Amino acid sequence: MSEEAPARIVADQALARADVAALAREPGPVHLAGVGLEETDLSGLVMAGWTFERCQLRHTRLVDARLEGSRWIACRAGFADFSGADLAESEFRSGDFNNASFRRCALAGASFVGGKLTGADFSDVRALGAAFEEVLLVAAKLPGFSFRKAHLKKLDFSQADLRRADFRDAILEDTSLRGANLVDARFQGADLRGADLGGLRLVDAAPFRGATISGKQAGQLLAELGLVVR
């Protein structure tokens, strides 16, 4: 069997769409390191298996791009547009993707670890098996997102849009739901003892029916009725 060709490395330069398209026409993966791609339109290009390390991608367009199995390490990609892109089995680590759009993306098996996704839009994604850990998702849009049976660690969903999200049988560890929109969200079987439910009122507790909470959390809810738990 022939060995897979090593990745071609392109480092520390700015690239235009034509440059990236030329790389994409050649066989084998590409490793972009410290490359400037700000405001570049890379829509529709095939970059499956590529690595983007310390790349500048602010306002870059990657609409409908083929990026399955790609790796994104310490990239700065605020307001990048990935709408409709195939990002299945991709890996995002320690990057800044604040206000990026992932609308309609294929995210099955993708992972987001240690990054910033404040204000990011994950509407209408296909994300079976997607994983998040130690990520800021403040004010992010995740309507209908499925976290079913996931173990969520150190996530900040403060003020996020989690309408109709599925948290059934999930475990939330050091995770904040403070101020999130949880209308029609499902939490049956979820373990919320490690979640920050600050600001939750008893009248808003219906979505948590069937979930496990701690005595301290129950006391906070009952305090809304003026009751004291001893």
Side-chain angles (χ1 to χ4, degrees), residues 26-112:
E26 298 294 327
V30 177
H31 185 148
L32 302 182
V35 167
L37 294 163
E38 290 185 321
E39 300 185 5
T40 304
D41 189 349
L42 304 178
S43 298
L45 294 183
V46 178
M47 296 172 282
W50 285 30
T51 296
F52 299 79
E53 182 178 1
R54 297 179 288 101
C55 291
Q56 301 296 321
L57 295 141
R58 188 173 174 82
H59 288 287
T60 300
R61 284 177 54 80
L62 296 128
V63 176
D64 295 325
R66 288 277 306 279
L67 292 159
E68 57 269 34
S70 55
R71 299 176 70 228
W72 307 78
I73 304 168
C75 292
R76 299 184 65 82
F79 296 94
D81 189 355
F82 291 88
S83 298
D86 188 345
L87 288 161
E89 304 294 336
S90 293
E91 179 184 351
F92 295 79
R93 285 190 172 271
S94 304
D96 178 353
F97 290 84
N98 290 336
N99 299 299
S101 175
F102 294 91
R103 292 179 60 87
R104 300 179 288 101
C105 279
L107 288 170
S111 63
F112 296 82

Side-chain angles (χ1 to χ4, degrees), residues 177-180 196-204 220-221 224:
L177 294 170
R178 184 178 290 268
D196 177 1
L197 305 178
L200 181 70
R201 300 173 301 167
L202 193 61
V203 69
D204 300 322
Q220 290 171 343
L221 289 174
E224 292 288 335

